[in-house]
Amino acid sequence: MSLAHGRHYLAIPGPSVMPDRVLQAMHRPAPNIYYGALADMTDAMIPDLKRVACTDGHVAIYIANGHGVWEASAANVLSPGDRMLALCTGRFGFGWAETAGRMGVEVERLDFGLQAPVDPARVEERLRNDPGHGIKVITMVQVDTATSVKSDVAAVRAAIDAAGHPALLMVDCIACLAVDEMRMDDWGADVVITASQKGLMTPPGLGFVFFNARAKARRAEVETVSMYWDWVPRSEPEMFYQYFNGTAPTHHLYGLREALSMLHEEGMENVWARHATLARTVWAAVEAWSQDGPLAFNIADPALRSHAVTTLHIGKEHGPRLRQWLTDEAGVTLGIGLGMETVEKRDSDGYFRIAHMGHVNAHMVLGVLGTIEAGMAALGIPHGKGALEAAAAVCART
Ligand SMILES: *Cc1c(COP(=O)(O)O)cnc(C)c1O
């Protein structure tokens, strides 16, 4: 007998759970794409989108996933032969670096390993050693989804300014926009990129590039930008089709409209606070489990952990078995370990990830924790006691 019958819960870091309101908004016939309600809805959505990133700047929307907006953002501010400094805190910083490298950009990587955030002091030191200001763009990932480490965007901006360096700061917030706090304008990010399928609770397929006046000025200096990636018509469309350089992603737009309404009905501050509390709920359980047996946080310091996803080490003899048990017997799928091969020569199978991003509430998080407890008991994986009481206590205190 399996206890997995019932609504399956995909607790992986993207795609995240899609709210019924989002799904229902998408369930309708094709709209008029020439003029009328869809065009008006899209115009009205732009300010709501910018409020999620806390910016008064510009936004371009692409029919693309996160990998697509890595390329879109690079295409607008970098030309072949230009230099870029990629700050890497796990897997995703390297992905963005590789994307730009394939476009002919000269990429230098600063690697902070798999268990630490960006160190602003190292960034400042590197930039002081670039007196000719050859580095045009600095990329960083606010939350690396593989390691679950969170880096301090404002501190990196301060380091760039302290070095007196004019490079643009571009930030990948794909894992964490509308989850972890992000204040694009206040924190001095020139470009922020995200995608629809994580904190924005919408099916995969839309990518977003937010950019400020500095990035816009840089775009004006770039001689050739491919027609599809060019953010100019997308952010200042004269005709509706220019938003998307072709047919609009009609049903994604209905879904996104609903998701944005849900976020702003709750309020961004409350959205961030909910995720902070649910993350602490997960951590309280893990803290107790890890008192005995193999389970351990990848990021030891809670201040450096994302509120979107938590990466845990359990050993490769346990990780795949535990994930399989949860899927087959309890109806929950956890995230696999990703890109962790070089931490003390462990391998990614020894890791798993619990996502707590987007449309999640206390009962979903407590449910995941309860099934992990059951799975460890069923499989004879040693673990400390009191995890579920500790988790419930965090929810009770709010
Ligand atoms: C998910 C993710 C990506 C990649 O997004 P895709 O939609 O899978 O291409 C990039 N960066 C971060 C930080 C992510 O979490």
Side-chain angles (χ1 to χ4, degrees), residues 6-52:
R7 179 175 284 204
H8 194 89
Y9 179 12
L10 193 64
I12 72 171
S16 66
V17 172
M18 290 175 260
D20 289 342
R21 273 177 68 178
V22 168
L23 294 172
Q24 281 156 10
M26 298 176 75
H27 194 82
R28 61 173 86 198
N32 186 340
I33 58 161
Y34 303 128
Y35 59 87
L38 181 72
D40 296 345
M41 183 186 81
T42 305
D43 291 339
M45 208 148 62
I46 299 299
D48 289 348
L49 204 45
K50 290 188 209 171
R51 273 162 66 209
V52 175

mmCIF file of all heavy atoms in Angstrom, residues 6-52:
data_model
loop_
_atom_site.group_PDB
_atom_site.id
_atom_site.type_symbol
_atom_site.label_atom_id
_atom_site.label_comp_id
_atom_site.label_asym_id
_atom_site.label_seq_id
_atom_site.Cartn_x
_atom_site.Cartn_y
_atom_site.Cartn_z
ATOM 1 N N GLY A 6 -3.534 11.175 -3.664
ATOM 2 C CA GLY A 6 -3.888 12.490 -3.127
ATOM 3 C C GLY A 6 -3.128 13.489 -3.970
ATOM 4 O O GLY A 6 -2.425 13.107 -4.904
ATOM 5 N N ARG A 7 -3.212 14.776 -3.670
ATOM 6 C CA ARG A 7 -2.527 15.756 -4.514
ATOM 7 C C ARG A 7 -1.008 15.665 -4.340
ATOM 8 O O ARG A 7 -0.523 15.809 -3.227
ATOM 9 C CB ARG A 7 -3.002 17.173 -4.187
ATOM 10 C CG ARG A 7 -2.259 18.206 -5.043
ATOM 11 C CD ARG A 7 -2.788 19.596 -4.847
ATOM 12 N NE ARG A 7 -4.069 19.761 -5.546
ATOM 13 C CZ ARG A 7 -4.544 20.941 -5.938
ATOM 14 N NH1 ARG A 7 -3.876 22.049 -5.709
ATOM 15 N NH2 ARG A 7 -5.704 21.012 -6.541
ATOM 16 N N HIS A 8 -0.304 15.414 -5.428
ATOM 17 C CA HIS A 8 1.151 15.328 -5.354
ATOM 18 C C HIS A 8 1.736 16.723 -5.131
ATOM 19 O O HIS A 8 1.241 17.702 -5.670
ATOM 20 C CB HIS A 8 1.727 14.725 -6.642
ATOM 21 C CG HIS A 8 3.163 14.303 -6.478
ATOM 22 N ND1 HIS A 8 3.510 13.041 -6.044
ATOM 23 C CD2 HIS A 8 4.321 14.970 -6.640
ATOM 24 C CE1 HIS A 8 4.832 12.966 -5.953
ATOM 25 N NE2 HIS A 8 5.347 14.126 -6.308
ATOM 26 N N TYR A 9 2.768 16.774 -4.326
ATOM 27 C CA TYR A 9 3.407 18.065 -4.031
ATOM 28 C C TYR A 9 4.834 18.039 -4.556
ATOM 29 O O TYR A 9 5.662 17.261 -4.095
ATOM 30 C CB TYR A 9 3.376 18.307 -2.516
ATOM 31 C CG TYR A 9 4.022 19.600 -2.053
ATOM 32 C CD1 TYR A 9 4.376 20.611 -2.948
ATOM 33 C CD2 TYR A 9 4.255 19.814 -0.705
ATOM 34 C CE1 TYR A 9 4.966 21.788 -2.509
ATOM 35 C CE2 TYR A 9 4.836 20.992 -0.248
ATOM 36 C CZ TYR A 9 5.202 21.973 -1.165
ATOM 37 O OH TYR A 9 5.787 23.130 -0.724
ATOM 38 N N LEU A 10 5.095 18.906 -5.539
ATOM 39 C CA LEU A 10 6.434 19.041 -6.111
ATOM 40 C C LEU A 10 7.165 20.114 -5.305
ATOM 41 O O LEU A 10 7.002 21.300 -5.550
ATOM 42 C CB LEU A 10 6.293 19.449 -7.580
ATOM 43 C CG LEU A 10 7.526 19.357 -8.471
ATOM 44 C CD1 LEU A 10 7.989 17.914 -8.607
ATOM 45 C CD2 LEU A 10 7.227 19.936 -9.852
ATOM 46 N N ALA A 11 7.958 19.670 -4.330
ATOM 47 C CA ALA A 11 8.650 20.626 -3.442
ATOM 48 C C ALA A 11 10.075 20.840 -3.931
ATOM 49 O O ALA A 11 11.037 20.737 -3.175
ATOM 50 C CB ALA A 11 8.615 20.125 -1.998
ATOM 51 N N ILE A 12 10.207 21.130 -5.220
ATOM 52 C CA ILE A 12 11.518 21.353 -5.828
ATOM 53 C C ILE A 12 11.657 22.832 -6.186
ATOM 54 O O ILE A 12 10.648 23.532 -6.344
ATOM 55 C CB ILE A 12 11.719 20.472 -7.084
ATOM 56 C CG1 ILE A 12 10.865 20.952 -8.279
ATOM 57 C CG2 ILE A 12 11.376 19.005 -6.781
ATOM 58 C CD1 ILE A 12 11.175 20.250 -9.589
ATOM 59 N N PRO A 13 12.898 23.298 -6.295
ATOM 60 C CA PRO A 13 13.085 24.744 -6.545
ATOM 61 C C PRO A 13 12.837 25.142 -8.001
ATOM 62 O O PRO A 13 13.739 25.586 -8.698
ATOM 63 C CB PRO A 13 14.536 24.981 -6.103
ATOM 64 C CG PRO A 13 15.208 23.672 -6.241
ATOM 65 C CD PRO A 13 14.176 22.607 -6.052
ATOM 66 N N GLY A 14 11.642 24.990 -8.419
ATOM 67 C CA GLY A 14 11.196 25.419 -9.732
ATOM 68 C C GLY A 14 11.118 24.258 -10.713
ATOM 69 O O GLY A 14 12.073 23.511 -10.819
ATOM 70 N N PRO A 15 9.939 24.110 -11.403
ATOM 71 C CA PRO A 15 8.775 24.966 -11.230
ATOM 72 C C PRO A 15 8.163 24.798 -9.843
ATOM 73 O O PRO A 15 8.129 23.701 -9.313
ATOM 74 C CB PRO A 15 7.807 24.503 -12.327
ATOM 75 C CG PRO A 15 8.247 23.125 -12.691
ATOM 76 C CD PRO A 15 9.710 23.080 -12.441
ATOM 77 N N SER A 16 7.672 25.921 -9.310
ATOM 78 C CA SER A 16 7.059 25.895 -7.982
ATOM 79 C C SER A 16 5.562 25.614 -8.140
ATOM 80 O O SER A 16 5.058 25.482 -9.254
ATOM 81 C CB SER A 16 7.306 27.243 -7.285
ATOM 82 O OG SER A 16 6.624 28.263 -7.967
ATOM 83 N N VAL A 17 4.885 25.521 -7.012
ATOM 84 C CA VAL A 17 3.444 25.235 -7.035
ATOM 85 C C VAL A 17 2.693 26.387 -7.698
ATOM 86 O O VAL A 17 2.915 27.549 -7.365
ATOM 87 C CB VAL A 17 2.925 25.020 -5.593
ATOM 88 C CG1 VAL A 17 1.404 24.924 -5.576
ATOM 89 C CG2 VAL A 17 3.572 23.780 -4.992
ATOM 90 N N MET A 18 1.821 26.048 -8.646
ATOM 91 C CA MET A 18 1.015 27.087 -9.301
ATOM 92 C C MET A 18 -0.332 27.199 -8.595
ATOM 93 O O MET A 18 -1.050 26.204 -8.448
ATOM 94 C CB MET A 18 0.812 26.733 -10.767
ATOM 95 C CG MET A 18 2.088 26.853 -11.567
ATOM 96 S SD MET A 18 1.849 26.307 -13.248
ATOM 97 C CE MET A 18 2.533 24.664 -13.173
ATOM 98 N N PRO A 19 -0.688 28.399 -8.134
ATOM 99 C CA PRO A 19 -1.959 28.573 -7.435
ATOM 100 C C PRO A 19 -3.138 28.245 -8.356
ATOM 101 O O PRO A 19 -3.075 28.488 -9.565
ATOM 102 C CB PRO A 19 -1.978 30.069 -7.094
ATOM 103 C CG PRO A 19 -0.557 30.524 -7.217
ATOM 104 C CD PRO A 19 0.091 29.633 -8.217
ATOM 105 N N ASP A 20 -4.227 27.748 -7.776
ATOM 106 C CA ASP A 20 -5.435 27.497 -8.566
ATOM 107 C C ASP A 20 -5.899 28.769 -9.265
ATOM 108 O O ASP A 20 -6.375 28.721 -10.399
ATOM 109 C CB ASP A 20 -6.563 26.951 -7.669
ATOM 110 C CG ASP A 20 -6.275 25.523 -7.211
ATOM 111 O OD1 ASP A 20 -5.427 24.856 -7.832
ATOM 112 O OD2 ASP A 20 -6.895 25.081 -6.225
ATOM 113 N N ARG A 21 -5.754 29.906 -8.609
ATOM 114 C CA ARG A 21 -6.168 31.175 -9.233
ATOM 115 C C ARG A 21 -5.397 31.419 -10.527
ATOM 116 O O ARG A 21 -5.931 31.922 -11.504
ATOM 117 C CB ARG A 21 -5.919 32.355 -8.274
ATOM 118 C CG ARG A 21 -7.071 32.598 -7.319
ATOM 119 C CD ARG A 21 -6.745 33.721 -6.341
ATOM 120 N NE ARG A 21 -6.644 35.046 -6.961
ATOM 121 C CZ ARG A 21 -6.407 36.167 -6.271
ATOM 122 N NH1 ARG A 21 -6.255 36.117 -4.956
ATOM 123 N NH2 ARG A 21 -6.325 37.320 -6.898
ATOM 124 N N VAL A 22 -4.103 31.091 -10.524
ATOM 125 C CA VAL A 22 -3.274 31.272 -11.727
ATOM 126 C C VAL A 22 -3.720 30.300 -12.821
ATOM 127 O O VAL A 22 -3.912 30.680 -13.980
ATOM 128 C CB VAL A 22 -1.775 31.088 -11.380
ATOM 129 C CG1 VAL A 22 -0.926 30.987 -12.640
ATOM 130 C CG2 VAL A 22 -1.307 32.236 -10.487
ATOM 131 N N LEU A 23 -3.918 29.045 -12.429
ATOM 132 C CA LEU A 23 -4.317 28.036 -13.424
ATOM 133 C C LEU A 23 -5.677 28.376 -14.020
ATOM 134 O O LEU A 23 -5.881 28.265 -15.230
ATOM 135 C CB LEU A 23 -4.353 26.653 -12.763
ATOM 136 C CG LEU A 23 -2.995 26.131 -12.301
ATOM 137 C CD1 LEU A 23 -3.166 24.850 -11.488
ATOM 138 C CD2 LEU A 23 -2.081 25.878 -13.496
ATOM 139 N N GLN A 24 -6.600 28.799 -13.177
ATOM 140 C CA GLN A 24 -7.945 29.111 -13.676
ATOM 141 C C GLN A 24 -7.937 30.333 -14.587
ATOM 142 O O GLN A 24 -8.679 30.390 -15.567
ATOM 143 C CB GLN A 24 -8.910 29.306 -12.500
ATOM 144 C CG GLN A 24 -9.351 27.963 -11.923
ATOM 145 C CD GLN A 24 -9.794 28.050 -10.472
ATOM 146 O OE1 GLN A 24 -9.948 29.133 -9.924
ATOM 147 N NE2 GLN A 24 -9.972 26.904 -9.860
ATOM 148 N N ALA A 25 -7.084 31.287 -14.285
ATOM 149 C CA ALA A 25 -7.006 32.487 -15.125
ATOM 150 C C ALA A 25 -6.541 32.135 -16.532
ATOM 151 O O ALA A 25 -6.854 32.829 -17.503
ATOM 152 C CB ALA A 25 -6.060 33.506 -14.489
ATOM 153 N N MET A 26 -5.770 31.051 -16.649
ATOM 154 C CA MET A 26 -5.230 30.654 -17.945
ATOM 155 C C MET A 26 -6.210 29.821 -18.770
ATOM 156 O O MET A 26 -6.010 29.633 -19.964
ATOM 157 C CB MET A 26 -3.937 29.843 -17.736
ATOM 158 C CG MET A 26 -2.853 30.654 -17.047
ATOM 159 S SD MET A 26 -1.379 29.687 -16.703
ATOM 160 C CE MET A 26 -0.672 29.580 -18.339
ATOM 161 N N HIS A 27 -7.248 29.325 -18.115
ATOM 162 C CA HIS A 27 -8.151 28.381 -18.779
ATOM 163 C C HIS A 27 -9.234 29.134 -19.547
ATOM 164 O O HIS A 27 -10.310 29.394 -19.036
ATOM 165 C CB HIS A 27 -8.772 27.471 -17.714
ATOM 166 C CG HIS A 27 -9.447 26.279 -18.283
ATOM 167 N ND1 HIS A 27 -8.780 25.144 -18.645
ATOM 168 C CD2 HIS A 27 -10.746 26.048 -18.598
ATOM 169 C CE1 HIS A 27 -9.634 24.269 -19.147
ATOM 170 N NE2 HIS A 27 -10.837 24.795 -19.127
ATOM 171 N N ARG A 28 -8.888 29.534 -20.753
ATOM 172 C CA ARG A 28 -9.833 30.327 -21.558
ATOM 173 C C ARG A 28 -9.390 30.275 -23.015
ATOM 174 O O ARG A 28 -8.264 29.894 -23.313
ATOM 175 C CB ARG A 28 -9.870 31.770 -21.066
ATOM 176 C CG ARG A 28 -8.519 32.457 -21.187
ATOM 177 C CD ARG A 28 -8.620 33.924 -20.866
ATOM 178 N NE ARG A 28 -8.486 34.181 -19.444
ATOM 179 C CZ ARG A 28 -8.886 35.321 -18.875
ATOM 180 N NH1 ARG A 28 -9.453 36.265 -19.583
ATOM 181 N NH2 ARG A 28 -8.702 35.521 -17.583
ATOM 182 N N PRO A 29 -10.266 30.661 -23.926
ATOM 183 C CA PRO A 29 -9.891 30.626 -25.348
ATOM 184 C C PRO A 29 -8.875 31.707 -25.702
ATOM 185 O O PRO A 29 -8.624 32.612 -24.911
ATOM 186 C CB PRO A 29 -11.220 30.852 -26.072
ATOM 187 C CG PRO A 29 -12.138 31.445 -25.078
ATOM 188 C CD PRO A 29 -11.665 31.062 -23.721
ATOM 189 N N ALA A 30 -8.318 31.604 -26.887
ATOM 190 C CA ALA A 30 -7.315 32.577 -27.327
ATOM 191 C C ALA A 30 -7.948 33.959 -27.465
ATOM 192 O O ALA A 30 -9.043 34.100 -28.007
ATOM 193 C CB ALA A 30 -6.715 32.145 -28.653
ATOM 194 N N PRO A 31 -7.273 34.977 -26.972
ATOM 195 C CA PRO A 31 -7.806 36.348 -27.041
ATOM 196 C C PRO A 31 -7.391 37.040 -28.341
ATOM 197 O O PRO A 31 -6.527 36.562 -29.075
ATOM 198 C CB PRO A 31 -7.110 37.014 -25.862
ATOM 199 C CG PRO A 31 -5.760 36.339 -25.823
ATOM 200 C CD PRO A 31 -5.989 34.917 -26.245
ATOM 201 N N ASN A 32 -7.972 38.193 -28.578
ATOM 202 C CA ASN A 32 -7.541 39.073 -29.667
ATOM 203 C C ASN A 32 -6.139 39.596 -29.342
ATOM 204 O O ASN A 32 -5.927 40.204 -28.293
ATOM 205 C CB ASN A 32 -8.531 40.252 -29.745
ATOM 206 C CG ASN A 32 -8.251 41.157 -30.934
ATOM 207 O OD1 ASN A 32 -7.147 41.154 -31.481
ATOM 208 N ND2 ASN A 32 -9.260 41.920 -31.333
ATOM 209 N N ILE A 33 -5.200 39.336 -30.240
ATOM 210 C CA ILE A 33 -3.832 39.812 -29.968
ATOM 211 C C ILE A 33 -3.533 41.127 -30.696
ATOM 212 O O ILE A 33 -2.393 41.610 -30.657
ATOM 213 C CB ILE A 33 -2.763 38.761 -30.356
ATOM 214 C CG1 ILE A 33 -2.880 38.389 -31.829
ATOM 215 C CG2 ILE A 33 -2.836 37.533 -29.463
ATOM 216 C CD1 ILE A 33 -1.620 37.745 -32.385
ATOM 217 N N TYR A 34 -4.508 41.705 -31.371
ATOM 218 C CA TYR A 34 -4.239 42.958 -32.104
ATOM 219 C C TYR A 34 -4.440 44.182 -31.212
ATOM 220 O O TYR A 34 -3.668 45.120 -31.218
ATOM 221 C CB TYR A 34 -5.154 43.076 -33.329
ATOM 222 C CG TYR A 34 -5.009 41.907 -34.270
ATOM 223 C CD1 TYR A 34 -6.125 41.194 -34.698
ATOM 224 C CD2 TYR A 34 -3.755 41.506 -34.727
ATOM 225 C CE1 TYR A 34 -5.997 40.124 -35.557
ATOM 226 C CE2 TYR A 34 -3.621 40.429 -35.577
ATOM 227 C CZ TYR A 34 -4.742 39.735 -35.994
ATOM 228 O OH TYR A 34 -4.608 38.675 -36.831
ATOM 229 N N TYR A 35 -5.526 44.196 -30.465
ATOM 230 C CA TYR A 35 -5.819 45.330 -29.595
ATOM 231 C C TYR A 35 -6.863 44.871 -28.584
ATOM 232 O O TYR A 35 -7.406 43.767 -28.694
ATOM 233 C CB TYR A 35 -6.359 46.536 -30.397
ATOM 234 C CG TYR A 35 -7.622 46.239 -31.153
ATOM 235 C CD1 TYR A 35 -8.868 46.372 -30.548
ATOM 236 C CD2 TYR A 35 -7.567 45.791 -32.474
ATOM 237 C CE1 TYR A 35 -10.030 46.060 -31.232
ATOM 238 C CE2 TYR A 35 -8.723 45.477 -33.164
ATOM 239 C CZ TYR A 35 -9.954 45.608 -32.546
ATOM 240 O OH TYR A 35 -11.091 45.287 -33.207
ATOM 241 N N GLY A 36 -7.131 45.717 -27.610
ATOM 242 C CA GLY A 36 -8.211 45.427 -26.671
ATOM 243 C C GLY A 36 -7.708 44.942 -25.330
ATOM 244 O O GLY A 36 -6.626 45.343 -24.871
ATOM 245 N N ALA A 37 -8.473 44.038 -24.733
ATOM 246 C CA ALA A 37 -8.278 43.688 -23.318
ATOM 247 C C ALA A 37 -6.878 43.151 -23.013
ATOM 248 O O ALA A 37 -6.282 43.508 -21.994
ATOM 249 C CB ALA A 37 -9.338 42.674 -22.891
ATOM 250 N N LEU A 38 -6.350 42.289 -23.890
ATOM 251 C CA LEU A 38 -5.042 41.693 -23.595
ATOM 252 C C LEU A 38 -3.947 42.763 -23.585
ATOM 253 O O LEU A 38 -3.087 42.783 -22.703
ATOM 254 C CB LEU A 38 -4.701 40.604 -24.622
ATOM 255 C CG LEU A 38 -3.363 39.915 -24.379
ATOM 256 C CD1 LEU A 38 -3.424 39.001 -23.158
ATOM 257 C CD2 LEU A 38 -2.907 39.131 -25.612
ATOM 258 N N ALA A 39 -4.007 43.650 -24.574
ATOM 259 C CA ALA A 39 -2.997 44.726 -24.650
ATOM 260 C C ALA A 39 -3.116 45.644 -23.435
ATOM 261 O O ALA A 39 -2.103 46.024 -22.828
ATOM 262 C CB ALA A 39 -3.173 45.508 -25.952
ATOM 263 N N ASP A 40 -4.348 45.983 -23.070
ATOM 264 C CA ASP A 40 -4.550 46.864 -21.907
ATOM 265 C C ASP A 40 -4.055 46.196 -20.630
ATOM 266 O O ASP A 40 -3.415 46.831 -19.785
ATOM 267 C CB ASP A 40 -6.044 47.211 -21.739
ATOM 268 C CG ASP A 40 -6.571 48.021 -22.919
ATOM 269 O OD1 ASP A 40 -5.746 48.551 -23.696
ATOM 270 O OD2 ASP A 40 -7.806 48.093 -23.072
ATOM 271 N N MET A 41 -4.338 44.900 -20.510
ATOM 272 C CA MET A 41 -3.912 44.164 -19.318
ATOM 273 C C MET A 41 -2.380 44.147 -19.224
ATOM 274 O O MET A 41 -1.805 44.303 -18.140
ATOM 275 C CB MET A 41 -4.439 42.727 -19.382
ATOM 276 C CG MET A 41 -4.118 41.907 -18.158
ATOM 277 S SD MET A 41 -4.612 40.180 -18.352
ATOM 278 C CE MET A 41 -3.221 39.550 -19.307
ATOM 279 N N THR A 42 -1.733 43.982 -20.356
ATOM 280 C CA THR A 42 -0.262 43.927 -20.363
ATOM 281 C C THR A 42 0.322 45.282 -19.975
ATOM 282 O O THR A 42 1.231 45.361 -19.142
ATOM 283 C CB THR A 42 0.250 43.462 -21.734
ATOM 284 O OG1 THR A 42 -0.381 42.211 -22.041
ATOM 285 C CG2 THR A 42 1.751 43.273 -21.737
ATOM 286 N N ASP A 43 -0.200 46.357 -20.561
ATOM 287 C CA ASP A 43 0.272 47.704 -20.177
ATOM 288 C C ASP A 43 0.152 47.900 -18.665
ATOM 289 O O ASP A 43 1.064 48.418 -18.018
ATOM 290 C CB ASP A 43 -0.582 48.793 -20.857
ATOM 291 C CG ASP A 43 -0.362 48.865 -22.367
ATOM 292 O OD1 ASP A 43 0.699 48.394 -22.836
ATOM 293 O OD2 ASP A 43 -1.258 49.391 -23.066
ATOM 294 N N ALA A 44 -0.988 47.487 -18.129
ATOM 295 C CA ALA A 44 -1.254 47.733 -16.704
ATOM 296 C C ALA A 44 -0.419 46.835 -15.799
ATOM 297 O O ALA A 44 -0.245 47.125 -14.612
ATOM 298 C CB ALA A 44 -2.750 47.523 -16.416
ATOM 299 N N MET A 45 0.097 45.753 -16.348
ATOM 300 C CA MET A 45 0.874 44.801 -15.558
ATOM 301 C C MET A 45 2.304 45.298 -15.308
ATOM 302 O O MET A 45 2.947 44.897 -14.330
ATOM 303 C CB MET A 45 0.940 43.489 -16.340
ATOM 304 C CG MET A 45 1.088 42.284 -15.506
ATOM 305 S SD MET A 45 0.266 40.890 -16.285
ATOM 306 C CE MET A 45 1.163 40.733 -17.806
ATOM 307 N N ILE A 46 2.809 46.150 -16.184
ATOM 308 C CA ILE A 46 4.213 46.574 -16.101
ATOM 309 C C ILE A 46 4.541 47.222 -14.742
ATOM 310 O O ILE A 46 5.516 46.841 -14.099
ATOM 311 C CB ILE A 46 4.584 47.496 -17.289
ATOM 312 C CG1 ILE A 46 4.392 46.739 -18.629
ATOM 313 C CG2 ILE A 46 5.997 48.048 -17.163
ATOM 314 C CD1 ILE A 46 5.250 45.503 -18.809
ATOM 315 N N PRO A 47 3.722 48.184 -14.286
ATOM 316 C CA PRO A 47 4.037 48.773 -12.967
ATOM 317 C C PRO A 47 3.979 47.744 -11.828
ATOM 318 O O PRO A 47 4.796 47.805 -10.899
ATOM 319 C CB PRO A 47 2.947 49.840 -12.766
ATOM 320 C CG PRO A 47 2.290 50.021 -14.083
ATOM 321 C CD PRO A 47 2.584 48.835 -14.938
ATOM 322 N N ASP A 48 3.067 46.798 -11.908
ATOM 323 C CA ASP A 48 2.960 45.774 -10.858
ATOM 324 C C ASP A 48 4.185 44.870 -10.855
ATOM 325 O O ASP A 48 4.643 44.412 -9.799
ATOM 326 C CB ASP A 48 1.697 44.929 -11.063
ATOM 327 C CG ASP A 48 0.432 45.712 -10.766
ATOM 328 O OD1 ASP A 48 0.540 46.813 -10.190
ATOM 329 O OD2 ASP A 48 -0.662 45.232 -11.118
ATOM 330 N N LEU A 49 4.695 44.608 -12.037
ATOM 331 C CA LEU A 49 5.903 43.797 -12.165
ATOM 332 C C LEU A 49 7.101 44.526 -11.546
ATOM 333 O O LEU A 49 7.881 43.958 -10.784
ATOM 334 C CB LEU A 49 6.117 43.567 -13.662
ATOM 335 C CG LEU A 49 6.903 42.386 -14.186
ATOM 336 C CD1 LEU A 49 6.533 41.084 -13.508
ATOM 337 C CD2 LEU A 49 6.685 42.289 -15.700
ATOM 338 N N LYS A 50 7.209 45.816 -11.843
ATOM 339 C CA LYS A 50 8.346 46.589 -11.320
ATOM 340 C C LYS A 50 8.296 46.693 -9.796
ATOM 341 O O LYS A 50 9.343 46.728 -9.142
ATOM 342 C CB LYS A 50 8.339 47.996 -11.922
ATOM 343 C CG LYS A 50 8.679 48.038 -13.404
ATOM 344 C CD LYS A 50 8.830 49.487 -13.810
ATOM 345 C CE LYS A 50 8.479 49.723 -15.242
ATOM 346 N NZ LYS A 50 8.426 51.169 -15.539
ATOM 347 N N ARG A 51 7.075 46.735 -9.255
ATOM 348 C CA ARG A 51 6.949 46.811 -7.787
ATOM 349 C C ARG A 51 7.480 45.556 -7.111
ATOM 350 O O ARG A 51 7.887 45.593 -5.958
ATOM 351 C CB ARG A 51 5.484 47.030 -7.390
ATOM 352 C CG ARG A 51 5.093 48.514 -7.365
ATOM 353 C CD ARG A 51 3.585 48.681 -7.412
ATOM 354 N NE ARG A 51 2.915 48.165 -6.230
ATOM 355 C CZ ARG A 51 1.669 47.682 -6.215
ATOM 356 N NH1 ARG A 51 0.964 47.636 -7.339
ATOM 357 N NH2 ARG A 51 1.129 47.259 -5.105
ATOM 358 N N VAL A 52 7.452 44.441 -7.807
ATOM 359 C CA VAL A 52 7.982 43.203 -7.216
ATOM 360 C C VAL A 52 9.498 43.311 -7.025
ATOM 361 O O VAL A 52 10.051 42.801 -6.050
ATOM 362 C CB VAL A 52 7.616 41.981 -8.092
ATOM 363 C CG1 VAL A 52 8.266 40.706 -7.556
ATOM 364 C CG2 VAL A 52 6.107 41.801 -8.153
#
